[in-house]
Amino acid sequence: DHSACELPFKLYQYTPADLAGNPLASCLLSTNMTHAGLREHITVNPRRACVFWFEVGQRCRQLPHAHLLPHWRGNGLNHIFIDHADAGIDAPTRKIWLGRAALAQG
């Protein structure tokens, strides 16, 4: 939902500090988002973000707790999960666990 987003479009990447005490802390995979083409779209202020990025580490079994993320806003809207696991998550389970968040698997 980009209706509440300011231009230029800003992306916030979850950090270990965001997840202190959260079951998902063990699932967070750090990603280097310093590529010159991305830099202008990254924000360290979650209030300025239009999209929230969460890269999932291998063998994460904590995705049912996604609703505990600090910027979840009730239904996961504007969240993107990148899951590198080969197993994937079936559609019915994904809807329960991740609400309206997007999921890229593979």
Side-chain angles (χ1 to χ4, degrees), residues 31-84:
T31 305
N32 184 355
M33 293 192 150
T34 58
H35 182 275
L38 287 176
R39 225 174 284 140
E40 71 178 291
H41 298 288
I42 304 297
T43 182
V44 295
N45 181 350
R47 285 185 241 153
R48 293 206 57 226
C50 181
V51 171
F52 297 88
W53 182 274
F54 191 105
E55 192 136 355
V56 181
Q58 296 291 324
R59 304 182 209 284
C60 177
R61 302 202 188 286
Q62 302 302 326
L63 285 180
H65 301 288
H67 66 280
L68 298 175
L69 288 169
H71 311 295
W72 191 248
R73 300 179 182 168
N75 63 8
L77 188 63
N78 292 17
H79 275 69
I80 299 173
F81 288 84
I82 307 299
D83 187 356
H84 299 281

Side-chain angles (χ1 to χ4, degrees), residues 9-48:
F9 171 87
K10 294 292 183 181
L11 180 141
Y12 179 82
Q13 182 180 17
Y14 276 100
T15 67
D18 292 320
L19 302 176
N22 188 305
L24 285 164
S26 64
C27 295
L28 182 66
L29 181 66
S30 294
T31 305
N32 184 355
M33 293 192 150
T34 58
H35 182 275
L38 287 176
R39 225 174 284 140
E40 71 178 291
H41 298 288
I42 304 297
T43 182
V44 295
N45 181 350
R47 285 185 241 153
R48 293 206 57 226

